[in-house]
Amino acid sequence: MKTHVKALVVGGGAVGTSIAYHLARAGWEDVMLLERDELTSGSTWHAAGLLPYFNMSYATTHIHDYSIKYYKTLEEETGLNAGFSVVGNLRMAQSQERMNEYMLYASTAETCGVPYEWLSPAQIKERYPLVNCEDLVGAIFHPTDGYINPADVTMAMAKGARQRGVMIERKWQADAFHWTGDHWDVTCTKMVEKGGNLVPSDEQIVIHAEHVVTATGNHPQRTAKLLGIKIPAIPVEHQFIVTEPDPALVEWRKAGNPEHPVLRDADAKWYVREERGGWILGPYERNAPARFEYGVPDSFRADLFPLDLERIEEEYMSMIHRIPTSETVGLKDDFNGPICYTPDGNPLVGPAPGLRNMWLAEGFSFGITAAGGTGYYLAQLMVEGEAEIDMASLDPKRYGSWMTTEYAARKNEEAYEHVYILHHPDEERPACRPLRTAPAYDRQKALGAQFGCVNGWERPNYYGPLDAPETFDHDARSFKRGGWWQYAVNEAKAVREGVGLIDATAFTKHLVKGPGATEFLDWFTCNKLPKVGRINLTYALTSKGTTRTEYTIVRLGENEYYLVSAGAWTAYDADYLRKAAEDKAAEFGYVEIQDVTTQWGVFAIAGPKSRDVLKEIVKDADPETVLGNKRFPWLTCRDIELGMCPVRAIRVAYTGELGWELHHPIEMQNYLWDQLMAAGAKHDMKLVGGRAQNWLRQEKSYRAFGNELGRDATPLEADLPRFVDLSKEFHGKAALEETGVRSKCCTLLIDGPEDADPWGREVLYHGETRVGRLTSGGYSVAFGKSIGMGYVKPEIAVPGTRLKVKMFDQLWDAEVVEDSPYDPKNEVIRIDG
Ligand SMILES: Cc1cc2nc3c(=O)[nH]c(=O)nc-3n(C[C@H](O)[C@H](O)[C@H](O)COP(=O)(O)OP(=O)(O)OC[C@H]3O[C@@H](n4cnc5c(N)ncnc54)[C@H](O)[C@@H]3O)c2cc1C
């Protein structure tokens, strides 16, 4: 057995096997796959094998799309039939709201070129007479997906991998990982059979691997412990049952009719497919418990849990309602296995936090569907440094060190239950909340705040009525303008016309200082560094020249900087920054990096009257001038005192109005809040939430990280040349220049439906041609219509171009407008007083 490899993939399920295959296909030699038992002996063996296209994420749609196409090629490549039944997939809707969900999904799917059709109840009945369509509103049909045999597809990928030189070693368990500084020493133990159990033998070897990928299925907690990190992947019980043959189905097939597509009654929370004349029912029921929170017991091998029929009774009855002929058929078989989940239901794919050359591929709940694409894109990330798609939404570092086992287990149970709950884009899930709260939380709640959750933090989305029932926000959700919409409109108007106060405490904040800080940051970010006391907007790039992080960078001293970045990405940003500083320490000198996110609260005050409010409480020898343009110009930072609170005030406003970010010691937050509220009362100050802020920034064409800014576009493609200083050298510069502008970000004003705005996922058309997609969407109070930002071909991203946005399956007029359609010359931001 070889002991020196380029990459060691740990785990021989569908996911690990695909990764090994794709690493070899991407050109890496010496790839080894290690499996403690037999290939497919984890969750893969008992999966139902469905390959649904449907999901609400752009990156995941690409991953699923790749898998579905790739699996169809495996037989030709390997000679092994992967058992792909391309029967299609029929997703039924019992309500118009469900159809609205499908229409939003379809618009996103279309951005990736995924084919679909709409069917009416009558058309469903005509095609599939066994299906009761009485209470259906319609359905979306995917003709090109279906189901596969999970073991067969894994074996085909394994054969393909071997053909490409991958070494597959079974009955070896990875038991310890040691990073030597330039490679991993992985201690592996030979596993042996003993009395039906799989136990470690005394035989051990150490494998020297440049890179390690863990794809350990139901064992992520053991893997996490071995690596000394946290992995919020914990399995949940998932069942499916197989019925005896249904005579009506057998009859129907005998008559020469084709196999039914995979049927999904999302409102009833199940899927059903044919299996040897009977039906497989797979419910996503309430109360499925998390398992193996602290590791898989040695006694659990390719085992199952006992069936819990009571838990799925409701779903069972609803299958009988939908397919009445199934009522009299008996149960033939059942499966209740562990299915790994993560708090948001997305797998964890990418570099492990804090570690070098260690890659995670854990937490797959649709692992058969996702295996192909995960292997492909992860191999790109490892071999080429970046993938074609932005993998950030899957990055393992989207959860920080605040995450615990209890949190992961309860959130994972929630994610499981939510597989078929309406995926409202304005949904906020309730489990494990509130958890991370800023001191002003209680005050905000008492004033009607309806909170959203960002990286565990509670952050007001909007302020609803004071006497709102507990269910207000839940009932306010919609695919159109929800019950919260008018509140956000009023808040946005208040910022444009008066003054608003926004809680931005969740921002990520880093202090970067030390002898090497200036040279390091100059190399690490693409814009000029600001002078002392000033701020700049800048970007840290990937090696491919695309955007890794957006920073507001404040220069506190010659060698001291305060970096503010998006609140959702604290661990993700910290990891990149720390690793880069470490790598460059020899060249630039020592750089100290502190994550000070939880030490500083942030309030943003914005609007034409914001200076008047601050003047009420600012303490200065000359309060009249301290906030004026001369002493406190736009894009500068000053230490000021608001009452007794020392404040690092930064003159920027994400809303595009006159305004300041007030960074303050977190323990003084309530004091500052009370001061601001009292002063604000004299000027009719309104509390404003994240939703209004998100609309306002679009009127200014301010790009948002995770929307317009990500690892699939350079800042030049984001059309931000003013923040890129090409006269200096910086990380990713050559790649940025070489990439050119493949597609370009632009702002659109949209004449959409009267009762709906785009969400920022919709497909864009130019005439009959699909030309791009929205990355943000919302409502503009300044223009009284919908607004959005998105990416299209550069020749189309020209003001005046007429485009169409697909919403609710119709095309709506949109026009590309000059950047910053509201206050294009930044006059109101700079206003003196
Ligand atoms: C009842 C049920 C039905 C499902 N149906 C579907 C479906 O229809 N479609 C779909 O897409 N998904 C489905 N799934 C989910 C799917 O089974 C999983 O997402 C998928 O199998 C995960 O693959 P994996 O490779 O990540 O993990 P696994 O298949 O669990 O493989 C992980 C492997 O890692 C090995 N391993 C762990 N630790 C070590 C170590 N230290 N050293 C060496 N080897 C190690 C294990 O032995 C195991 O073989 C279903 C799951 C269940 C429970």
Side-chain angles (χ1 to χ4, degrees):
M1 183 166 161
K2 211 161 179 176
T3 53
H4 279 58
V5 298
K6 175 88 178 166
L8 180 70
V9 181
V10 181
V15 173
T17 309
S18 169
I19 294 167
Y21 168 98
H22 282 95
L23 283 173
R25 203 173 89 173
W28 274 11
E29 291 171 3
D30 290 336
V31 175
M32 181 184 280
L33 175 70
L34 208 68
E35 166 54 49
R36 65 190 291 278
D37 198 343
E38 293 294 340
L39 294 182
T40 77
S41 63
S43 267
T44 297
W45 79 267
H46 54 237
L50 309 179
L51 301 176
Y53 257 121
F54 189 91
N55 76 90
M56 301 304 275
S57 136
Y58 179 70
T60 308
T61 300
H62 273 287
I63 287 174
H64 289 191
D65 185 45
Y66 176 88
S67 297
I68 287 165
K69 290 175 177 155
Y70 160 64
Y71 294 157
K72 290 175 181 167
T73 67
L74 274 171
E75 186 166 4
E76 196 181 326
E77 181 179 342
T78 66
L80 293 184
N81 184 335
F84 197 159
S85 302
V86 187
V87 293
N89 194 324
L90 185 77
R91 235 180 152 87
M92 299 171 278
Q94 293 186 25
S95 69
Q96 188 52 47
E97 193 67 348
R98 182 66 73 177
M99 283 304 279
N100 291 346
E101 177 192 52
Y102 293 169
M103 286 191 257
L104 176 59
Y105 154 74
S107 190
T108 309
E110 216 168 312
T111 63
C112 309
V114 171
Y116 64 86
E117 296 167 29
W118 299 109
L119 294 186
S120 68
Q123 286 169 315
I124 303 170
K125 192 77 199 165
E126 197 189 326
R127 283 195 200 179
Y128 314 111
L130 296 184
V131 177
N132 171 13
C133 300
E134 270 166 20
D135 53 352
L136 293 182
V137 176
I140 185 168
F141 179 59
H142 283 299
T144 54
D145 66 10
Y147 64 91
I148 203 160
N149 184 319
D152 290 351
V153 73
T154 308
M155 289 308 176
M157 290 192 287
K159 184 165 181 205
R162 282 197 187 96
Q163 283 172 350
R164 293 170 184 276
V166 173
M167 298 157 274
I168 298 184
E169 301 293 344
R170 290 167 297 131
K171 297 279 194 292
W172 282 98
Q173 175 170 277
D175 275 339
F177 300 92
H178 171 67
W179 176 246
T180 63
D182 81 339
H183 68 268
W184 287 95
D185 277 338
V186 184
T187 306
C188 305
T189 309
K190 182 77 188 164
M191 304 298 283
V192 289
E193 304 277 346
K194 199 170 177 187
N197 287 333
L198 189 68
V199 294
S201 70
D202 293 337
E203 188 184 350
Q204 285 199 325
I205 55 166
V206 174
I207 297 180
H208 168 302
E210 272 180 51
H211 292 261
V212 173
V213 185
T214 76
T216 57
N218 296 316
H219 300 254
Q221 293 316 309
R222 181 176 191 270
T223 305
K225 217 179 276 170
L226 294 177
L227 294 174
I229 60 172
K230 290 183 174 187
I231 303 180
I234 293 176
V236 174
E237 280 189 24
H238 177 45
Q239 328 187 58
F240 68 81
I241 53 173
V242 189
T243 73
E244 297 284 359
D246 174 349
L249 174 60
V250 174
E251 194 67 19
W252 152 266
R253 291 297 304 279
K254 254 200 210 142
N257 292 303
E259 183 173 343
H260 282 81
V262 177
L263 302 169
R264 281 195 165 75
D265 190 338
D267 301 290
K269 297 194 186 170
W270 54 247
Y271 66 79
V272 163
R273 75 163 169 86
E274 288 187 23
E275 174 72 8
R276 295 171 202 271
W279 305 99
I280 283 183
L281 165 72
Y284 279 81
E285 74 280 16
R286 283 174 68 91
N287 299 326
R291 302 298 295 249
F292 310 145
E293 278 113 313
Y294 298 97
V296 184
D298 286 342
S299 56
F300 194 94
R301 228 173 140 186
D303 293 322
L304 292 169
F305 308 115
L307 173 73
D308 187 344
L309 206 49
E310 223 168 88
R311 211 167 67 214
I312 59 172
E313 192 183 338
E314 203 180 314
E315 288 76 20
Y316 200 164
M317 294 314 288
S318 72
M319 171 181 78
I320 292 170
H321 165 75
R322 187 64 58 218
I323 306 169
T325 56
S326 67
E327 183 170 6
T328 51
V329 298
L331 272 192
K332 189 168 86 179
D333 213 346
D334 60 82
F335 294 79
N336 182 6
I339 185 167
C340 214
Y341 264 82
T342 64
D344 62 8
N346 267 341
L348 303 155
V349 183
L355 305 176
R356 304 289 182 150
N357 294 8
M358 176 62 69
W359 307 83
L360 304 185
E362 304 285 359
F364 284 84
S365 54
F366 283 88
I368 309 305
T369 320
T374 299
Y376 176 68
Y377 291 112
L378 183 61
Q380 282 186 344
L381 207 56
M382 293 172 65
V383 175
E384 296 168 33
E386 276 305 318
E388 287 156 43
I389 56 168
D390 186 349
M391 300 281 280
S393 58
L394 309 177
D395 195 281
K397 296 174 295 297
R398 64 189 190 272
Y399 298 97
S401 56
W402 54 269
M403 198 277 308
T404 55
T405 311
E406 177 64 11
Y407 176 87
R410 302 293 81 83
K411 278 307 247 191
N412 293 4
E413 288 169 347
E414 181 188 57
Y416 175 84
E417 185 186 330
H418 274 250
V419 165
Y420 282 124
I421 289 184
L422 280 164
H423 299 90
H424 282 121
D426 50 0
E427 176 193 40
E428 295 289 347
R429 294 186 184 175
C432 308
R433 297 178 58 195
L435 182 61
R436 304 182 79 199
T437 55
Y441 172 82
D442 290 331
R443 281 165 163 76
Q444 293 163 352
K445 194 169 165 66
L447 293 167
Q450 294 288 346
F451 292 91
C453 192
V454 179
N455 201 6
W457 284 101
E458 294 296 324
R459 193 179 64 170
N461 276 338
Y462 64 97
Y463 289 80
L466 284 181
D467 53 355
E470 271 298 303
T471 56
F472 181 84
D473 187 60
H474 178 272
D475 300 342
R477 291 170 200 163
S478 173
F479 293 91
K480 300 190 167 176
R481 291 175 181 163
W484 53 269
W485 186 85
Q486 190 59 49
Y487 295 93
V489 168
N490 297 344
E491 291 169 18
K493 280 191 178 149
V495 172
R496 288 278 174 257
E497 292 161 12
V499 54
L501 186 67
I502 302 165
D503 183 353
T505 297
F507 272 160
T508 297
K509 303 135 209 145
H510 280 100
L511 199 61
V512 179
K513 60 182 181 180
T518 297
E519 267 192 85
F520 165 69
L521 284 175
D522 196 37
W523 166 84
F524 185 62
T525 61
C526 65
N527 198 357
K528 281 189 184 59
L529 289 180
K531 298 201 172 81
V532 175
R534 292 197 65 86
I535 73 158
N536 254 347
L537 196 66
T538 189
Y539 303 94
L541 306 187
T542 65
S543 58
K544 295 283 177 190
T546 55
T547 305
R548 182 56 171 68
T549 298
E550 180 183 55
Y551 288 112
T552 300
I553 189 163
V554 183
R555 192 167 192 166
L556 302 173
E558 270 316 313
N559 272 323
E560 187 171 350
Y561 299 83
Y562 181 64
L563 271 54
V564 183
S565 55
W569 300 97
T570 308
Y572 178 81
D573 289 350
D575 194 67
Y576 197 59
L577 184 61
R578 289 214 170 97
K579 283 177 179 165
E582 245 172 59
D583 288 345
K584 287 286 175 179
E587 190 177 337
F588 299 134
Y590 175 68
V591 180
E592 183 181 325
I593 293 171
Q594 289 172 28
D595 174 0
V596 293
T597 301
T598 54
Q599 294 170 30
W600 292 87
V602 184
F603 294 138
I605 187 165
K609 292 197 220 158
S610 54
R611 188 181 271 126
D612 302 334
V613 174
L614 293 183
K615 269 189 196 170
E616 302 270 354
I617 50 172
V618 70
K619 301 293 170 194
D620 189 81
D622 186 3
E624 269 313 304
T625 62
V626 65
L627 300 167
N629 279 2
K630 196 154 175 219
R631 289 180 63 194
F632 204 149
W634 185 42
L635 301 181
T636 60
C637 172
R638 300 280 180 265
D639 286 338
I640 60 171
E641 295 182 358
L642 296 178
M644 291 188 290
C645 185
V647 171
R648 176 176 291 164
I650 305 176
R651 192 167 161 195
V652 280
Y654 197 42
T655 50
E657 287 296 335
L658 172 72
W660 283 264
E661 278 179 13
L662 307 171
H663 294 240
H664 54 271
I666 194 99
E667 71 279 12
M668 293 191 182
Q669 180 164 81
N670 278 341
Y671 168 80
L672 179 62
W673 174 269
D674 294 342
Q675 293 285 309
L676 288 165
M677 290 299 285
K682 296 185 193 164
H683 301 273
D684 229 1
M685 183 175 78
K686 202 165 170 48
L687 295 174
V688 174
R691 295 209 175 130
Q693 188 185 28
N694 179 40
W695 293 348
L696 291 167
R697 62 107 190 154
Q698 292 180 59
E699 293 177 347
K700 289 294 295 171
S701 302
Y702 291 159
R703 279 72 172 149
F705 188 75
N707 297 51
E708 289 72 41
L709 301 172
R711 280 150 56 187
D712 50 0
T714 70
L716 297 181
E717 291 174 313
D719 202 17
L720 298 167
R722 63 192 182 282
F723 301 118
V724 181
D725 177 12
L726 289 173
S727 69
K728 71 168 196 178
E729 288 311 311
F730 56 83
H731 178 59
K733 179 181 171 188
L736 166 129
E737 288 185 304
E738 202 177 301
T739 300
V741 177
R742 297 162 296 184
S743 64
K744 197 165 169 181
C745 186
C746 61
T747 304
L748 297 134
L749 286 176
I750 300 158
D751 293 306
E754 265 176 19
D755 56 352
D757 302 305
W759 293 99
R761 312 165 173 186
E762 293 81 359
V763 64
L764 293 171
Y765 276 84
H766 186 225
E768 302 288 299
T769 317
R770 179 160 54 87
V771 288
R773 65 182 180 116
L774 287 185
T775 45
S776 289
Y779 179 74
S780 162
V781 289
F783 297 95
K785 57 167 78 173
S786 296
I787 190 164
M789 296 169 74
Y791 277 85
V792 292
K793 298 244 166 291
E795 57 277 15
I796 291 169
V798 177
T801 308
R802 310 284 310 176
L803 298 178
K804 302 264 187 197
V805 181
K806 195 170 233 186
M807 295 168 63
F808 301 101
D809 202 41
Q810 285 182 43
L811 292 171
W812 302 86
D813 286 330
E815 184 178 346
V816 178
V817 292
E818 291 284 359
D819 250 21
S820 186
Y822 174 77
D823 187 26
K825 295 195 174 135
N826 292 330
E827 282 162 2
V828 303
I829 300 178
R830 278 194 266 230
I831 211 153
D832 203 1

